[in-house]
Amino acid sequence: MSARRATITDVARQAGVSPSTASVVFSGKTPVSDATRLRVLEAAAELGYTGPDPRAASLRRGRSGIVGVVFEEHLGTVFLDPVKTRMMDGLADGVASLGAGLLLLRDDVSQGAGPHGAQPTLTTAPLDAAVLVGCSGMLRESLAVVRSRGIPVVVIEGDAGDGVPRIELDNREAQRQAASHLRSLGHDRVAIVTLPLRTGRGRGRLEDGESITIDVTRERLAGARDVYPDAAVFASAGSFIDEGLAAGRALFSVDGPRPTAVLAQSDLLAAGVIRAAEEAGLRVPEDVSVTGFDGIVVDGLAPYELTTLVQPAADKGRAAGMAVAAMLAGEDAASIRFTCVFREGNTTAVAP
Amino acid sequence: MSARRATITDVARQAGVSPSTASVVFSGKTPVSDATRLRVLEAAAELGYTGPDPRAASLRRGRSGIVGVVFEEHLGTVFLDPVKTRMMDGLADGVASLGAGLLLLRDDVSQGAGPHGAQPTLTTAPLDAAVLVGCSGMLRESLAVVRSRGIPVVVIEGDAGDGVPRIELDNREAQRQAASHLRSLGHDRVAIVTLPLRTGRGRGRLEDGESITIDVTRERLAGARDVYPDAAVFASAGSFIDEGLAAGRALFSVDGPRPTAVLAQSDLLAAGVIRAAEEAGLRVPEDVSVTGFDGIVVDGLAPYELTTLVQPAADKGRAAGMAVAAMLAGEDAASIRFTCVFREGNTTAVAP
DNA sequence: TTGTAGGCGTTATCAC
DNA sequence: GTGATAACGCCTACAA
């Protein structure tokens, strides 16, 4: 119809009231007489005005109603990871009270000042707050960006430092529990399959003194080493069944003495390891015991039921959401540490 | 530090240049001498200025860099549905060229003018474009809201009408294929388990002349009825294994002649039906054949491999993303219709 | 290459 | 209950 969209000023003029009055009709912040309200609403209808422009409103108010969720990986991958999926679920719940939406973002700090890099990232998205989902090597940089923007941040699974609330897991203690379980079953030759060590590092044996920048990996490894300081360590390139399979093949194909048990840092990795064991003609748990981590339901793993640590993934997300809401309300939010529950399945048994 | 955050004007003053020059340094739209650039950047660093405020920038530019994805259900539920998950994956890809982020939204048109309903919905979020994920009974209303806001929309799986591009599936033809397959195996007594008929309608037999407002359901049902016009129809309340189980129980517990085959409108429903069959002491596929729809990997269904229609879920998402990008670029996007591929598994066999 | 001016559409504040 | 005024912070013609 018209060349440009109607604004609240147009509506006000049409209704014969002032812009502020028209504004109030839509925001409901101040009482308005029924008569005027009606006039304004009619005018709006005539002009096809559907309400304040969110961009202008958010500039004026200083709030956009958007909470950013930052992941390290390609967004699609996020949806493949059951733990993240559950966490998002909880997070959506947690910010609901805020009435905010979740904006999915990638961890690409690089952009921003570039000549034409139009990526809307952490730097350029209109966020009220951000939730960083850890395990990220880039965590530090992302955090710096967000903090310098001065918006509230919560970190899930990562070392945030300073006054940034974090939502954590008792990774080390939990993993130690699984290791102790194996120890009590008499296992001596134990191998460990870890999550990625660093961004971009491929799979392979952990070298002596190699640095581990991903917190979850380091913590869980520490827990395993509390019990088995000398265990062989094979690093994966991600939490996938295929990665576990590759790791398992490497572990079971060596000439020397085979491990009698494998501590995997995720359920998906564990599933892959089990598959590798079967390939190698080993029975689980009779010949090899395998433990996982996460407590998710792994697809196609039946009839195995992993011995694993069950983590409260959804609760973590919800807690993060609530923390963000609190910070936006001016209160300050405390860090929370969640606890895993050990669950014994049928993939561990007495050492052969 | 300071009472309020630094603005680009502050930076300009500090650097001894005009605001527009400072702006240009950050946007890179116009060449700036190295000397000035440096001065501006230094000033910015001193003041802790990290770049233009996205809210202000988006008001000025008229673009927010945000594409809304609208689902009908509680957001958490989205992540539980493998088909949606795959679709999001593709969608993230599709809008990547645009450099836009995805904002997850619920289909709550109701809010908006309410006295205190602060939900940031379709009405109030700063969107450049929207993708409506169909199957939604509220589709019409959501669509109206978005269109009246004048932003580009794409609908996945739903009747958009007018000039709204849609991303569709050949639901009817595909489902007809599965039905024909059963027919060729000699099945006569076939039952159909559908996806929900309408928002809020519980599970139960389809009444005569009952209306079906959800497009996918209606189309797939039509395809089944092309082959089996008189089949009994049981409607589920959602695409879940448990719903399929409930439906299966209803179908297998009747006194009359049992169906020898069940056409389920989703793989998850099919999995539930299979479970119900086992409960009832029926063997699949010897006593009952079961077909699904979607072609996802169903958790814990091994050793069954569903006979099903494989839909290109990720491609659908990607296509939607690309359509949105095109529309924002001023081109107009065409509707696309994707085709399912029939895949025979081990859950169908010759009628007993 | 840099500066000036005006407006993007809204809403908070305060006076009436 | 209603209206005038002044930002919110930035960007882009256009002029210099």
Side-chain angles (χ1 to χ4, degrees), chain A residues 72-73 81-84 134-136 157 169 171-172 175 191-206 210-222 224 232-241 243-244 247 262-271 273 291-294 296 309 311 316:
Chain A
E72 170 177 39
E73 357 165 37
D81 182 343
V83 177
K84 300 244 169 69
C135 317
S136 167
E157 297 266 343
L169 224 48
N171 283 304
R172 181 167 187 168
Q175 188 68 85
I192 301 170
V193 176
T194 74
L195 292 166
L197 304 174
R198 298 187 298 281
T199 308
R201 201 270 202 194
R203 73 171 78 108
R205 298 205 169 262
L206 176 71
E210 195 177 349
S211 73
I212 303 179
T213 60
I214 297 181
D215 298 315
V216 182
T217 308
R218 192 177 48 243
E219 291 168 12
R220 293 188 189 170
L221 181 56
V233 177
F234 192 97
S236 73
S239 183
F240 301 104
I241 294 181
E243 284 292 321
V262 178
L263 280 159
Q265 286 191 348
S266 85
D267 286 352
L268 294 175
L269 287 172
V273 170
T291 68
F293 202 116
D294 287 339
I296 61 168
L309 283 316
Q311 66 157 298
K316 273 167 42 185

Side-chain angles (χ1 to χ4, degrees), chain B:
Chain B
M1 321 281 156
S2 59
R4 63 177 183 69
R5 300 197 57 70
T7 75
I8 204 168
T9 315
D10 300 330
V11 173
R13 186 175 23 238
Q14 170 95 352
V17 300
S18 81
S20 53
T21 305
S23 170
V24 157
V25 168
F26 286 99
S27 75
K29 294 250 179 188
T30 306
V32 184
S33 79
D34 284 357
T36 352
R37 188 206 322 292
L38 202 66
R39 280 223 307 291
V40 170
L41 258 26
E42 268 174 7
E46 276 175 47
L47 297 173
Y49 179 82
T50 36
D53 178 336
R55 284 180 280 262
S58 79
L59 171 58
R60 185 59 239 245
R61 289 211 247 252
R63 283 282 170 88
S64 64
I66 294 180
V67 173
V69 189
V70 184
F71 295 96
E72 170 178 38
E73 2 169 31
H74 178 63
L75 284 184
T77 320
V78 173
F79 300 112
L80 296 180
D81 181 344
V83 177
K84 300 244 169 71
T85 276
R86 302 275 304 282
M87 214 194 51
M88 286 296 293
D89 189 344
L91 188 53
D93 258 24
V95 299
S97 74
L98 240 177
L102 294 179
L103 183 68
L104 304 177
L105 289 173
R106 264 220 332 261
D107 195 342
D108 264 344
V109 182
S110 50
Q111 316 290 337
H116 204 67
Q119 297 286 74
T121 45
L122 222 37
T123 351
T124 64
L127 306 180
D128 287 344
V131 176
L132 303 188
V133 181
C135 319
S136 167
M138 319 261 300
L139 182 65
R140 295 285 142 68
E141 298 172 49
S142 304
L143 195 61
V145 170
V146 183
R147 300 205 69 190
S148 67
R149 278 186 59 181
I151 63 184
V153 203
V154 172
V155 173
I156 299 184
E157 298 266 343
D159 179 11
D162 338 44
V164 179
R166 20 172 161 169
I167 310 297
E168 293 178 298
L169 224 48
D170 61 336
N171 284 305
R172 182 168 186 167
E173 295 73 9
Q175 187 69 86
R176 192 192 299 138
Q177 253 181 87
S180 301
H181 170 68
L182 291 178
R183 162 73 75 206
S184 73
L185 291 172
H187 290 275
D188 276 334
R189 291 197 310 281
V190 171
I192 301 169
V193 177
T194 74
L195 293 166
L197 305 174
R198 296 187 299 279
T199 309
R201 201 270 201 195
R203 74 171 77 107
R205 298 203 169 263
L206 177 71
E207 310 290 333
D208 275 0
E210 193 176 351
S211 74
I212 303 180
T213 59
I214 297 181
D215 299 314
V216 181
T217 309
R218 193 178 45 244
E219 291 168 11
R220 294 188 188 168
L221 180 56
R225 282 192 157 155
D226 284 342
V227 179
Y228 292 107
D230 303 317
V233 177
F234 192 97
S236 73
S239 183
F240 301 105
I241 295 181
D242 285 347
E243 283 293 320
L245 181 61
R249 283 176 180 157
L251 292 174
F252 298 133
S253 70
V254 286
D255 289 337
R258 282 192 188 123
T260 65
V262 179
L263 281 159
Q265 286 190 348
S266 86
D267 286 351
L268 294 176
L269 287 172
V273 170
I274 290 176
R275 213 158 272 174
E278 288 174 338
E279 259 187 25
L282 302 168
R283 290 163 307 159
V284 176
E286 292 82 356
D287 301 323
V288 194
S289 287
V290 180
T291 68
F293 202 116
D294 287 339
I296 61 169
V297 183
V298 179
D299 189 28
L301 193 60
Y304 295 110
E305 245 182 71
L306 274 174
T307 294
T308 191
L309 283 317
V310 184
Q311 67 156 298
D315 291 341
K316 274 166 42 185
R318 192 166 8 253
M322 286 166 47
V324 157
M327 292 170 82
L328 281 175
E331 308 153 29
D332 45 17
S335 296
I336 304 186
R337 193 181 170 86
F338 285 96
T339 308
C340 297
V341 175
F342 179 75
R343 184 174 69 194
E344 183 165 3
N346 59 17
T347 60
T348 45
V350 175

Side-chain angles (χ1 to χ4, degrees), chain A residues 5 50 74 99 104 120 148 297 299, chain B residues 5 50 93 99 120 148 297 299:
Chain A
R5 302 194 58 69
T50 37
H74 177 64
L104 304 177
S148 68
V297 184
D299 189 29
Chain B
R5 300 197 57 70
T50 36
D93 258 24
S148 67
V297 183
D299 189 28

